[in-house]
Amino acid sequence: MNGFTAVWRFENFSYYWQKEDGAEINSPEFQVNAIPGARWKLKLFGTIHGFRMEDSIGLCLQRAEVDDGPDCLVLDIEIAFLVSGRSLVHTAERFLTNFRKRDSSDAVYAMKDDVLCLMRDAFLPQDVLTVRCRMWELDSPVMEEEQCLARTIIGIERAFFVGIVENANSLVPGLKTVVHINSASTDKLSFSMTIRLTDEGKFAAEITVHYQFIKLFTAKVMILDSFRNWKLCGQSVDWKKSGEVCEFPLTVLFETLVSDKRLYLPKGVMTLKCEVAFSTEAEPDRIETIDYGFDVCHSMQWKASNVENANSLQSIARDSESSGTLKSDLIALYKDRTLCDAKLCTENETFLAHKAVLCARSPVFKTMFTSDMREKTDECVNIPDLEDDTVRRMLHFLYTDTIEDLQWEDAKDLYFAADKYEIFSLKQKCSSFLKHNLQTSNCCDLLLLADMHNDADLKTFVLDHIVIQNQQVFLSPEWETFMKDHIRLAAEAYSMYFKYGKT
């Protein structure tokens, strides 16, 4: 089977997971092109075998309840929590799993305090948790990687109120002052707010939401200046339940307000706005989408145009019968050397080709043959830095969109050629092959290649592998040699391990 990667982005994660211990939620179901009928889902959970896992959040892969695939599947899988919104693994495990219908894989765990508090900025950028699953057949060479990006959005509501503090320039340290609410965005919620001036001249806000159906809420406070601009001056970092007091410091100083009364205290009045984001006790609304493709996880970006067709795996069907005919015609044109008008010259061999095909497939070749460069006049492209076999394979791909009998060194050479001539589809196929054939013995080789070509995605993938395998890599003879010759890259890998790999 081709390799398959599923990335699941869980947005507004905190509003769901802080709700109760032992929470459980599934990703949208997805399918793998190479396993017809089988349906899969990722599951996040806080309970296992009936016992509370209050200090952990678990992640596993499951076959769906409705599944028309084979009764039993043996797959090599890797599941991981990602941090910083990138393909950087915090904790991951690789399993060889015997999947029967409705079976689940073994799980990986992240500490709940790490996710929600201690490493929140890394795990939950903009309150989005990202997890990943990779699947492939054991010892199966992978020519390209199919991908899907699932998205779950927990619905939250927002409300605000505007209040004033009269005679704010006469506030007394230590005393709480009630903020008189003038207007609110909804009649459904009831708010109360006080501010307190400390002896150090700083403010603290206390906000309470009186609404029995609120389960969790956060708040932020802004102050209005004389130019009618709202300036953020404080926000809560802890989730509160209805009736609880949400208390947090404000960044604005009393001295600043008094010294610039015209800006913040016209006629002695301080105007504040509080915005509250909350989820309710009932099961929150959930929006789920899924997108398939061969590069959808590269940027982890979502486009609205994909949503309508998100549940159809047919949208990534490879080639229709008519395109197969076109491919066979192009192959014949190339093999017969019919109307060739370009030459690619290595040190030992000359390859005939067609300018139209080269220009259509490579923006670099297009520039060569359409601008005032030597190649336009000579109709010859000298390629002294590529081997004969690499150019032959590259041309075969340009005419057929396929690669045959690829090996590790071939893939590295083709990757170099694809990057040089900006043949992005070839580069992606080579990258996928290299990823799925990555081993302890060759990870140093691939890390150097990715760094030389400024390929952040491939480099991160290799660093992931090093973080996961750690001692197997660090104690290998290849790593010992690598450290001597490439100390900067070695230091970067060690830094990544000590930051994210030690769990």
Side-chain angles (χ1 to χ4, degrees):
M1 63 174 283
N2 289 333
F4 187 88
T5 295
V7 172
W8 180 21
R9 289 169 52 87
F10 192 141
E11 302 184 24
N12 298 326
F13 177 81
S14 301
Y15 289 92
Y16 185 88
W17 210 262
Q18 299 249 19
K19 191 172 63 171
E20 59 180 299
D21 295 323
E24 178 178 311
I25 193 166
N26 295 317
S27 74
E29 292 185 2
F30 56 89
Q31 294 177 290
V32 180
N33 219 16
I35 312 176
R39 300 184 66 87
W40 307 86
K41 59 185 177 182
L42 291 165
K43 181 172 77 171
L44 287 163
F45 60 92
T47 302
I48 184 169
H49 301 313
F51 294 97
R52 293 286 185 182
M53 298 289 292
E54 296 180 359
D55 58 344
S56 301
I57 298 173
L59 170 67
C60 69
L61 175 68
Q62 284 187 317
R63 288 187 69 173
E65 286 77 9
V66 179
D67 188 324
D68 297 325
D71 289 336
C72 184
L73 291 164
V74 180
L75 296 175
D76 198 359
I77 69 166
E78 177 198 271
I79 49 180
F81 289 88
L82 308 185
V83 296
S84 300
R86 301 170 45 214
S87 300
L88 187 58
V89 173
H90 172 74
T91 181
E93 293 290 345
R94 187 166 174 173
F95 311 104
L96 180 62
T97 303
N98 191 347
F99 276 106
R100 298 187 181 277
K101 293 183 178 180
R102 300 190 180 184
D103 275 358
S104 299
S105 71
D106 291 335
V108 296
Y109 297 91
M111 298 303 294
K112 184 176 178 180
D113 282 347
D114 285 347
V115 175
L116 297 173
C117 299
L118 302 178
M119 297 178 63
R120 179 180 178 82
D121 290 343
F123 272 105
L124 300 177
Q126 299 180 326
D127 206 21
V128 178
L129 180 73
T130 305
V131 298
R132 182 185 67 200
C133 172
R134 291 183 176 134
M135 308 165 61
W136 56 92
E137 288 181 338
L138 187 65
D139 299 327
S140 174
V142 179
M143 301 302 294
E144 61 189 12
E145 182 179 35
E146 184 186 349
Q147 299 176 343
C148 80
L149 182 58
R151 186 187 191 192
T152 296
I153 306 174
I154 294 298
I156 61 175
E157 298 183 51
R158 299 182 187 274
F160 71 87
F161 66 85
V162 177
I164 63 170
V165 179
E166 297 180 348
N167 300 317
N169 53 341
S170 302
L171 293 176
V172 178
L175 295 180
K176 292 183 180 181
T177 302
V178 175
V179 177
H180 299 285
I181 297 175
N182 283 351
S183 63
S185 61
T186 176
D187 296 329
K188 182 172 67 173
L189 300 184
S190 175
F191 303 91
S192 62
M193 177 179 178
T194 63
I195 61 170
R196 176 172 50 86
L197 180 62
T198 68
D199 292 336
E200 294 79 19
K202 299 178 180 179
F203 287 101
E206 291 185 1
I207 300 166
T208 306
V209 178
H210 307 279
Y211 182 61
Q212 62 178 330
F213 297 110
I214 280 186
K215 190 66 178 179
L216 292 168
F217 75 91
T218 59
K220 62 181 180 181
V221 174
M222 289 159 280
I223 186 169
L224 183 67
D225 64 26
S226 57
F227 297 103
R228 311 302 297 174
N229 297 318
W230 292 105
K231 177 183 177 183
L232 180 65
C233 59
Q235 55 188 340
S236 62
V237 294
D238 295 322
W239 275 254
K240 299 295 182 181
K241 297 180 180 180
S242 178
E244 293 182 342
V245 176
C246 182
E247 182 177 4
F248 52 93
L250 302 183
T251 57
V252 63
L253 300 176
F254 181 69
E255 181 182 354
T256 302
L257 300 183
V258 174
S259 63
D260 203 348
K261 294 180 182 179
R262 291 184 178 181
L263 184 60
Y264 294 113
L265 301 179
K267 299 180 180 181
V269 176
M270 177 167 59
T271 303
L272 299 172
K273 180 167 72 170
C274 174
E275 291 187 356
V276 177
F278 61 94
S279 63
T280 60
E281 238 179 284
E283 180 69 17
D285 291 335
R286 199 159 78 204
I287 301 172
E288 295 186 331
T289 51
I290 191 163
D291 190 24
Y292 292 92
F294 285 86
D295 199 26
V296 297
C297 301
H298 178 69
S299 63
M300 292 188 184
Q301 298 292 324
W302 277 87
K303 299 180 180 178
S305 59
N306 292 331
V307 174
E308 290 184 6
N309 297 322
N311 293 319
S312 174
L313 191 59
Q314 306 306 318
S315 62
I316 60 167
R318 298 301 293 153
D319 293 320
S320 63
E321 291 183 7
S322 59
S323 62
T325 302
L326 173 63
K327 183 165 69 175
S328 62
D329 290 343
L330 285 174
I331 293 173
L333 189 68
Y334 173 62
K335 289 183 176 180
D336 295 342
R337 308 290 196 272
T338 305
L339 300 176
C340 289
D341 54 1
K343 299 176 182 178
L344 304 185
C345 302
T346 65
E347 290 186 348
N348 304 310
E349 194 168 346
T350 297
F351 298 87
L352 299 179
H354 300 84
K355 289 181 181 178
V357 174
L358 298 179
C359 292
R361 302 284 273 159
S362 163
V364 176
F365 283 130
K366 183 177 181 180
T367 300
M368 287 180 179
F369 291 118
T370 58
S371 60
D372 293 329
M373 296 179 66
R374 177 171 52 82
E375 286 82 4
K376 180 179 180 180
T377 304
D378 296 349
E379 298 183 349
C380 178
V381 180
N382 290 309
I383 313 178
D385 55 345
L386 295 183
E387 297 292 335
D388 300 345
D389 187 62
T390 302
V391 175
R392 185 179 296 106
R393 288 177 177 274
M394 180 180 71
L395 283 172
H396 181 82
F397 178 82
L398 293 180
Y399 281 85
T400 68
D401 206 40
T402 59
I403 312 173
E404 297 178 349
D405 301 324
L406 196 60
Q407 301 298 322
W408 179 263
E409 291 300 325
D410 300 329
K412 284 175 51 186
D413 293 341
L414 267 179
Y415 176 94
F416 175 89
D419 189 50
K420 177 179 180 178
Y421 292 108
E422 298 181 11
I423 309 168
F424 297 117
S425 55
L426 176 59
K427 183 179 177 181
Q428 178 62 31
K429 289 177 184 291
C430 292
S431 178
S432 293
F433 178 91
L434 293 167
K435 287 178 181 179
H436 287 280
N437 290 277
L438 182 62
Q439 300 174 8
T440 299
S441 59
N442 58 31
C443 66
C444 297
D445 209 16
L446 191 55
L447 179 59
L448 182 60
L449 180 73
D451 186 70
M452 290 175 59
H453 290 269
N454 297 312
D455 189 333
D457 177 70
L458 183 59
K459 183 176 179 180
T460 300
F461 187 97
V462 183
L463 288 172
D464 284 357
H465 176 85
I466 294 174
V467 167
I468 295 169
Q469 300 298 327
N470 54 78
Q471 296 305 314
Q472 293 185 34
V473 175
F474 296 148
L475 298 178
S476 68
E478 291 84 5
W479 184 257
E480 184 178 356
T481 302
F482 183 78
M483 283 195 302
K484 294 177 182 178
D485 298 335
H486 307 285
I487 188 169
R488 177 185 61 82
L489 279 177
E492 187 174 347
Y494 276 125
S495 175
M496 207 72 71
Y497 168 67
F498 284 112
K499 188 173 183 180
Y500 299 110
K502 301 182 73 174
T503 60

